[in-house]
Amino acid sequence: MSRHVACFALLLFFTTALAQNRFLGKWKTIDDETGKPVSVVEIFESRGKLYGKIVELYNPKNVHRKCENCLGDDKNKPLLGLIVIKGLTRNGHEYGNGKILDPKQGKLYKCTLSLDGHDRLKVRGFIGVSLIGRTQIWERLKG
């Protein structure tokens, strides 16, 4: 019996680790108004929380832009390398309890991330309750 419990525990551990790793990597952000790609955000884990930083900008005019509308520590930081997903924690099959930065507006919003298949990420930014916000679909970059 204990052998079955040990096997189940290992299976559960690897399943959880695999599911968590599916959020990590590089994602192409898509503007929900224009449908055009904006940037590449690399999602990584640090101390059990997820973060995401801009590692590529598709519009060459924005490569040297700074986050002029941002507040606090993000004020006037270059967009390239800017941490836009901040401190999300696992909540079942999604991540939440953190923030997402909209560099265009300079505003921080509550955020949830959930997977839509293997290569699509639903990114929801909202104020207060999740009903008041918007969702973007980001696409996983291959390779």
Side-chain angles (χ1 to χ4, degrees):
M1 181 69 170
S2 64
R3 185 175 195 187
H4 292 295
V5 172
C7 287
F8 179 74
L10 274 173
L11 179 64
L12 183 63
F13 171 78
F14 286 118
T15 302
T16 302
L18 180 61
Q20 179 180 3
N21 288 340
R22 291 179 55 202
F23 286 86
L24 305 180
K26 292 183 179 178
W27 297 88
K28 178 172 34 171
T29 69
I30 308 294
D31 186 300
D32 53 323
E33 294 173 358
T34 66
K36 295 185 179 191
V38 177
S39 65
V40 174
V41 171
E42 182 174 9
I43 296 178
F44 60 96
E45 184 179 3
S46 177
R47 298 183 183 144
K49 295 184 178 185
L50 291 190
Y51 297 85
K53 70 178 173 181
I54 299 173
V55 295
E56 185 179 336
L57 295 163
Y58 284 101
N59 185 341
K61 294 178 184 177
N62 293 332
V63 171
H64 299 292
R65 274 197 49 222
K66 296 185 178 188
C67 196
E68 297 167 357
N69 295 326
C70 291
L71 301 173
D73 292 339
D74 292 326
K75 178 105 177 128
N76 291 320
K77 279 191 176 175
L79 293 182
L80 214 50
L82 186 65
I83 303 291
V84 292
I85 295 175
K86 300 170 183 270
L88 274 63
T89 57
R90 188 171 191 84
N91 184 9
H93 294 292
E94 66 179 28
Y95 278 83
N97 302 316
K99 303 276 184 178
I100 189 163
L101 173 65
D102 177 356
K104 193 185 296 185
Q105 303 298 321
K107 294 184 180 177
L108 275 172
Y109 299 96
K110 291 181 180 179
C111 179
T112 60
L113 300 179
S114 59
L115 292 167
D116 181 14
H118 182 72
D119 295 327
R120 291 170 39 101
L121 183 68
K122 287 184 183 178
V123 181
R124 178 112 180 121
F126 57 96
I127 300 170
V129 294
S130 183
L131 293 173
I132 304 170
R134 68 182 212 214
T135 301
Q136 289 185 339
I137 302 296
W138 294 2
E139 299 171 357
R140 183 183 301 279
L141 287 183
K142 307 277 191 207

